[in-house]
Structures are given as structure tokens and as C-alpha cells.
Amino acid sequence: MSRPGAGGAGPVGVVLVSHSAAVAAAVAELALGLAGGDGPPLVLPAGGTPDGGLGTSSELIGAAARVVDRGAGVALLVDLGSAVLTVKALLAEGDELPANSRLVDAPFVEGAVAAVVTASAGGDLDAVVAAASEAYSYRKA
């Protein structure tokens, strides 16, 4: 597993894409609070539309991804259908997101926490994606 700063790259960045700015911000706050640590943000919300409405915004997603990109990759977690489509379209365009950006198939809250904790511990992009995806198997009962 690579460590922050290894090979000149910092930690993996995480972008939380939700139809709601409040939901994305709350999940980011929860994930950061559980991961601990300080320093530059490694997770940012990209929720809602630029005017504060419900929906997704290519511009907000791209801006958040560029801020959290430290050269180790960016994991994008999404909440619902059109968020998935928006991120897939950005990835297909090829130049809208930082190199080595990935859409992660994971539950939004549990996956975000696992991704941010793993990224803050120095996990590489593969480890961050795996941790978030494994959150599907978390049993609650």
C-alpha cells in the first residue's frame, strides 16, 4: 500500500456526489470526523446544483475533484442514478476529472467512511476503492 507522499503523491482524494448539498456535506463531515487527522482536505462534497437546488452539477464535481487531487487518484462516491450518469459522463469525456479518477460502486454513507478512513491511513486508490466497495457487506443485524 502506498503512503501519503510516496512518489510525490499525497493521499487519495474522495469526492461525495449527492443530489443534496446538505447530504453530501454531512456525510463528508461524518467521514472526516471518524478518520481524524488534519491537513488539506482529502474529501469534499459535491452536492446539489450551483444555485442550491437538488440535482447534480458537473462543474461542482469537477471543481471538488481538482481540489482533493494530490496525484494519487480520486475516488468518486455517488448517491443516486443521475449522479452515477453525471460522473460516468465526466469520466468518458476524459479531461473533466483528474487523471486516475474512479467511480466507486459503494453504499454512500458506509462507503464514504471506509474510503476516507483508508485514504487518511495512506491507502492507495485500489485500497480506497476496495474498502468502500466492501461496505456493501457490513451487516447491521
Side-chain angles (χ1 to χ4, degrees):
M1 186 162 35
S2 66
R3 294 283 168 205
V12 171
V14 179
V15 176
L16 303 179
V17 181
S18 174
H19 285 71
S20 165
V23 168
V27 174
E29 179 182 1
L30 174 67
L32 279 173
L34 294 174
D38 52 6
L42 58 91
V43 60
L44 282 176
T49 60
D51 65 0
L54 293 176
T56 56
S57 164
S58 298
E59 294 80 19
L60 293 177
I61 296 165
R66 287 186 292 278
V67 170
V68 300
D69 179 32
R70 303 282 184 277
V74 176
L76 296 112
L77 285 86
V78 298
D79 64 355
L80 301 169
S82 65
V84 174
L85 297 175
T86 302
V87 171
K88 283 184 175 183
L90 288 169
L91 289 167
E93 289 174 20
D95 61 350
E96 297 297 316
L97 294 173
N100 213 12
S101 292
R102 283 198 219 161
L103 173 60
V104 181
D105 183 14
F108 194 64
V109 175
E110 294 93 334
V113 170
V116 172
V117 168
T118 302
S120 69
D124 63 15
L125 184 59
D126 288 336
V128 170
V129 169
S133 298
E134 288 170 8
Y136 273 127
S137 65
Y138 295 170
R139 305 275 315 171
K140 297 178 184 174

